[in-house]
Amino acid sequence: MTFADEVKSAVTTRAALLVVGVLALQLLFIASYVGALHRPDPTDVPFGVVAPQQVSGRLVTQLSDLPGGPLDPRAVSGEAEARRQIQNREIDGALIVSPTGATDTVLVASGGGTVLATSLTKIIKEAEGPRQRTVRTVDVAPASPDDFDGLSSFYLVVGWCVGGYLCASILAISAGTKPANRQRAAIRTAVMALYSIAGGIGGAVIIGPILGALPGSVWALAGLGALTVFAVGMITLALEALTGIVGIGLAVLLIVIAGNPSAGGAFPLPMLPDFWRAIGPALPPGAGTWVARSIAYFRGNAVTGPLLVLSAWAVVGTALTLLLSMRRRDTDGTRRAAAPGEADSPGSSSSLA
C-alpha cells in the first residue's frame, strides 16, 4: 500500500471535509471575538440631560457633537424622570445640571455593565471640564459587590447555552443525528424540556443563594434559564435533523461564535461595533444576558422583547424538529411500501428462491 493510500485510509473524504469545517469555525471564532471586543468604544449611548431650559438645548448639542459620537443625548424633564428611564433601561445614564451650584451629577447604572458606567462618568467629566464644573457620580442600579464588572449574568447565560447545545448534541448523536421517527423526536423534545428545567433551577440556585453573585428572584432566573436552555437545545436539534452532524457546527457558529461576543456581557451593547450590536439582541446569549441583568438590577423591567426572542427560537426549533421527523417517517414509509413490489418482481431474489 502506497503512502497516498495510507492517507486516504486514515483520513476519509468526509473526515477531511469536517476538518476543513472545524478550521473555518476556529478562524471565525478568532475573528468574531477579537473583532467585537478588541476596541470597546462607547457609541451612541442613550443618555439623558436634565438642565435649566436656557442651557438644555445647547448642552444636548454639545454632548451630541463630542468626537467619536459616544453619546446619543436627549433632554429629560427632571431627575425623577431620568431615574425612571434608567430603571426601565430606556437610557444608560443621565447628566443632572445643578441650577445653582458648580457641581453636576452623573446618574449611571453599573448593574447594566460596570465598564459602561465608568466610561460615561469619564466622558462627562472631560466634557464638563472646559465649563469649569465638577461632577459627582450616583449609581442608581449598582452591581452587586460579588458581581465583578457585572459579568455574572453573562457567564450564567453562557453556561445555560452551553448546556443546551451539548445536551441536544448528545441526544441526537446517541442514535444517529437524524430522528428516525416522530416518536423519537417527541421523546427528545420531552427530555430536552426536563433537562432545561433542571438546568434553569440549578444555575439560578448556584448564582444566587450559593454564591451570592446575583440578586433578584431565584425563580425568575430559573424560568429564564429553563427557557434559554430549551431554546438553544431545540434549535440545535433542528439543525442536526436538517443537516446531520454538521448541525452541531452550525449551532456552535450561531451560539458561541456569533452569540457570545455580541451578547453585551464583557462589554455592554453600546460599546460593541455596529455588526455585533445589531445581531446581539436577536440571539439567545444576548437576549438571555439582557433579561438576567434586568431581573437582578432593574426590577424586571424591559424584558418582554428579549423573552419573545428566546420564545421564538424555542418555538421554531421545536416545530422544525417535529416537522423534519415527520418528513423522515414519510420517506421511510414510502421505502417500505416499495419493498414488497420489488420483492415480487421477476428479477428479485425472493422469486428466484
Side-chain angles (χ1 to χ4, degrees):
M1 182 178 287
T2 65
F3 178 74
D5 292 332
E6 290 285 358
V7 171
K8 291 179 180 179
S9 176
V11 183
T12 64
T13 302
R14 182 170 182 268
L17 291 175
L18 289 174
V19 168
V20 172
V22 170
L23 176 61
L25 288 178
Q26 172 185 299
L27 297 179
L28 285 171
F29 183 98
I30 295 170
S32 184
Y33 277 71
V34 177
L37 307 177
H38 76 289
R39 189 177 177 182
D41 293 326
T43 307
D44 294 329
V45 181
F47 192 79
V49 176
V50 179
Q53 187 174 2
Q54 59 270 26
V55 300
S56 177
R58 183 173 70 252
L59 185 55
V60 167
T61 301
Q62 290 174 351
L63 293 177
S64 180
D65 293 339
L66 289 175
L71 302 179
D72 178 19
R74 70 286 308 266
V76 178
S77 60
E79 181 175 348
E81 175 63 14
R83 287 174 176 267
R84 186 195 68 79
Q85 290 189 22
I86 292 173
Q87 283 290 344
N88 287 341
R89 309 197 73 177
E90 298 171 16
I91 58 177
D92 291 304
L95 172 63
I96 313 298
V97 177
S98 172
T100 56
T103 300
D104 298 333
T105 302
V106 179
L107 303 180
V108 296
S110 61
T114 304
V115 178
L116 179 59
T118 303
S119 297
L120 289 177
T121 300
K122 180 181 178 183
I123 290 168
I124 295 302
K125 284 184 177 180
E126 292 177 353
E128 290 278 76
R131 300 175 60 230
Q132 304 299 313
R133 301 186 71 85
T134 58
V135 175
R136 70 185 185 99
T137 302
V138 175
D139 196 340
V140 300
S144 166
D146 296 316
D147 181 13
F148 177 74
D149 273 357
L151 291 172
S152 296
S153 54
F154 171 61
Y155 291 139
L156 174 64
V157 172
V158 167
W160 281 330
C161 290
V162 168
Y165 69 72
L166 285 181
C167 179
S169 299
I170 292 170
L171 288 173
I173 290 176
S174 63
T177 53
K178 292 187 178 181
N181 52 51
R182 186 170 52 193
Q183 288 75 18
R184 181 180 295 172
I187 290 170
R188 289 176 178 175
T189 301
V191 171
M192 196 69 241
L194 293 174
Y195 175 87
S196 299
I197 294 171
I201 294 174
V205 170
I206 289 171
I207 206 163
I210 294 178
L211 297 179
L214 277 187
S217 168
V218 172
W219 289 112
L221 287 172
L224 168 65
L227 178 58
T228 302
V229 175
F230 188 73
V232 172
M234 292 312 301
I235 202 65
T236 302
L237 282 176
L239 290 171
E240 289 169 336
L242 184 64
T243 63
I245 195 171
V246 175
I248 297 176
L250 294 177
V252 170
L253 175 64
L254 182 70
I255 304 301
V256 179
I257 294 176
N260 286 353
S262 64
F267 300 110
L269 289 175
M271 303 188 75
L272 297 180
D274 291 342
F275 173 75
W276 286 269
R277 187 192 303 197
I279 67 173
L283 297 175
T289 299
W290 178 277
V291 175
R293 283 179 172 159
S294 288
I295 292 171
Y297 299 117
F298 296 93
R299 305 170 187 169
N301 293 325
V303 299
T304 302
L307 287 177
L308 288 176
V309 168
L310 291 170
S311 299
W313 283 107
V315 170
V316 169
T318 303
L320 281 175
T321 299
L322 297 177
L323 288 173
L324 289 169
S325 71
M326 293 172 65
R327 184 184 69 176
R328 176 82 172 185
R329 184 185 182 187
D330 291 341
T331 302
D332 291 344
T334 301
R335 290 174 180 171
R336 286 193 298 270
E342 293 173 359
D344 294 337
S345 64
S348 68
S349 59
S350 61
S351 63
L352 292 175

